[in-house]
Amino acid sequence: MRYVKLGKTGLEVSEVGFGCIPIIRLSTAEAVTVLRRAYDRGITLFDTANMYLDSEEKIGQAFEGLRSRLILASKTLKRNLAGAEADIDLSLRRMRTDYIDLFQIHQLSLESDYQAITGPDGALEAIFRAKQAGKIRRIGVTSHGIEMAIKLVKTGLFSTVQFPFNFIESAPAEELHPAARQEEMGILAMKPFGGGALDNGELCFKFLRQFPDVIPLPGFDAVEQVDQIVAVYETENAVFPEDLAAMESFRTELGQHFCRRCEYCQPCEQGVMITPAMNYPIIAHRMSGPKAAGFAAKTMESVRNCTECGECMERCPYNLPIPEMLKKHLALYDEHIAGT
Ligand code: SF4
Ligand code: SF4
């Protein structure tokens, strides 16, 4: 494992980090085992969030006594001063620490949110105060909106930027990453597997390792997964024409209209299981139609309740035409049922 400087933050981190959403699926004992395995294999950067249920608590439990060897990153979704202040203190308590290396404003994609956090009594004021008090070392931001992310980079308010980056979402390499480099910011890559749309881990990391100053944050929920990715980092990276062709084939298959499983669209008042239903064609591709229809029956039957109200669409950071896509996926499911 190599260790690299995270922009001009002064933080040195492992060249691959650990995105701590998946540990919420694990029992505390299992999560501690996976986190400790990552640490033992050289991973030092752990990125969590106040909203990831008990993720911070599990990190606190896993790393008692090891604090000075880790770089801990967390985030708040709160937009106001009081909310952000409370979240920072909660994160400190849960992670059993008296400082957070990197504290980020979470999912800042809308202009209204930007106005809220920078306005009077906005979340940024709480974060500045916490930094002054020594509770936070560096301030970062995460976003799913490319134009907003570029704007945020240029404000000079943040030391790091975190954005989805993988070979089907490679746009950040064109403008966002160069802009962040110009400001000497640290660059973090969420969703290295396309939010679950990509199942070829080796190919994903062949792509990502071409950008050694961009630190990917894969999520792990098993020690074997940690070992696999760390093993990839123990080899020299080489991207061959057949790898490029495979990436292109994934891009063509998924197109621009694919769901990153971020779950911001949920919940649906009609009980539609939006995220798995949005991914039905991927499951069908992997399993064959009839098998997928059986496997996803509960999910796809819930789509029949959709009233096309459009509320989920307003919450989707990728502006996906969700009701329209769900309709198409339901038609595909019905074809598969008919074929069984
Ligand atoms: S458009 Fe359909 S899936 Fe989306 S919130 Fe409305 S009812 Fe639910
Ligand atoms: S439909 Fe949009 S908001 Fe919902 S999970 Fe997919 S990408 Fe995220």
Side-chain angles (χ1 to χ4, degrees), residues 60 67 145 162-163 252 256 265:
R67 179 66 188 90
Q162 184 178 155
F163 200 85
T252 311
Q256 288 305 307
C265 52

Side-chain angles (χ1 to χ4, degrees), residues 216-251:
L217 297 167
F220 303 110
D221 64 9
V223 291
E224 295 77 17
Q225 292 171 1
V226 173
D227 290 345
Q228 268 169 13
I229 298 303
V230 172
V232 167
Y233 275 84
E234 285 166 353
T235 61
E236 282 299 313
N237 195 34
V239 181
F240 298 107
E242 54 268 33
D243 297 320
L244 296 174
M247 290 178 202
E248 194 47 44
S249 139
F250 266 103
R251 279 189 204 107

Side-chain angles (χ1 to χ4, degrees), residues 259-265 275 278 316-318 320 322:
C259 165
R260 282 79 164 179
R261 305 187 193 203
C262 65
E263 312 225 24
Y264 290 123
C265 52
T275 309
M278 288 292 281
C316 175
Y318 302 98
L320 296 183
I322 298 174

Side-chain angles (χ1 to χ4, degrees), residues 265 267-272 274 305-313 315 322-323 326:
C265 52
C268 161
E269 282 189 7
Q270 305 304 322
V272 177
I274 305 173
N305 298 333
C306 176
T307 58
E308 301 186 33
C309 71
E311 279 177 23
C312 52
M313 247 182 347
R315 296 192 291 262
I322 298 174
L326 288 178

Side-chain angles (χ1 to χ4, degrees), residues 71-340:
I71 300 297
L72 295 184
S74 193
K75 24 189 134 62
T76 179
L77 260 179
K78 302 284 167 38
R79 302 315 189 206
N80 62 9
L81 190 152
E85 208 162 55
D87 272 5
I88 292 165
D89 288 338
L90 188 57
S91 293
L92 289 169
R93 275 202 306 283
R94 285 169 164 176
M95 292 197 284
R96 305 183 190 184
T97 182
D98 52 9
Y99 69 96
I100 298 166
D101 298 281
L102 176 65
F103 200 77
Q104 303 151 101
I105 298 273
H106 196 170
Q107 169 49 351
L108 190 51
S109 299
L110 303 174
E111 179 61 29
S112 54
D113 281 347
Y114 175 72
Q115 295 301 332
I117 64 132
T118 52
D121 288 334
L124 259 186
E125 180 57 29
I127 295 176
F128 289 147
R129 286 184 196 175
K131 186 164 183 263
Q132 255 185 342
K135 295 178 180 180
I136 285 170
R137 290 176 71 192
R138 294 288 177 267
I139 301 170
V141 68
T142 81
S143 179
H144 287 77
I146 193 91
E147 281 167 22
M148 175 56 81
I150 293 167
K151 170 178 166 162
L152 293 167
V153 160
K154 292 180 178 168
T155 61
L157 291 168
F158 306 99
S159 299
T160 64
V161 62
Q162 184 178 155
F163 200 85
F165 188 50
N166 52 65
F167 66 77
I168 47 172
E169 294 173 279
S170 56
E174 286 160 26
E175 202 177 342
L176 176 61
H177 292 171
R181 284 186 192 107
Q182 183 134 11
E183 301 294 324
E184 296 180 72
M185 290 172 72
I187 306 172
L188 300 167
M190 66 171 103
K191 305 201 167 42
F193 304 116
L198 304 172
D199 55 8
N200 187 331
E202 198 191 337
L203 198 61
C204 291
F205 280 90
K206 278 189 178 221
F207 170 81
L208 289 165
R209 290 180 71 206
Q210 299 175 105
F211 308 88
D213 63 342
V214 177
I215 310 299
L217 297 167
F220 303 110
D221 64 9
V223 291
E224 295 77 17
Q225 292 171 1
V226 173
D227 290 345
Q228 268 169 13
I229 298 303
V230 172
V232 167
Y233 275 84
E234 285 166 353
T235 61
E236 282 299 313
N237 195 34
V239 181
F240 298 107
E242 54 268 33
D243 297 320
L244 296 174
M247 290 178 202
E248 194 47 44
S249 139
F250 266 103
R251 279 189 204 107
T252 311
E253 185 189 322
L254 292 167
Q256 288 305 307
H257 272 170
F258 77 95
C259 165
R260 282 79 164 179
R261 305 187 193 203
C262 65
E263 312 225 24
Y264 290 123
C265 52
Q266 305 199 94
C268 161
E269 282 189 7
Q270 305 304 322
V272 177
M273 297 163 73
I274 305 173
T275 309
M278 288 292 281
N279 288 283
Y280 179 72
I282 295 176
I283 294 170
H285 177 73
R286 282 192 198 141
M287 286 187 173
S288 86
K291 274 198 184 151
F295 175 80
K298 188 171 168 213
T299 295
M300 296 313 295
E301 289 300 327
S302 77
V303 175
R304 299 196 198 282
N305 298 333
C306 176
T307 58
E308 301 186 33
C309 71
E311 279 177 23
C312 52
M313 247 182 347
E314 286 167 25
R315 296 192 291 262
C316 175
Y318 302 98
N319 302 317
L320 296 183
I322 298 174
E324 189 189 310
M325 289 175 75
L326 288 178
K327 237 189 200 174
K328 279 193 195 148
H329 297 180
L330 185 59
L332 182 66
Y333 165 75
D334 283 338
E335 274 174 33
H336 291 159
I337 295 179
T340 56

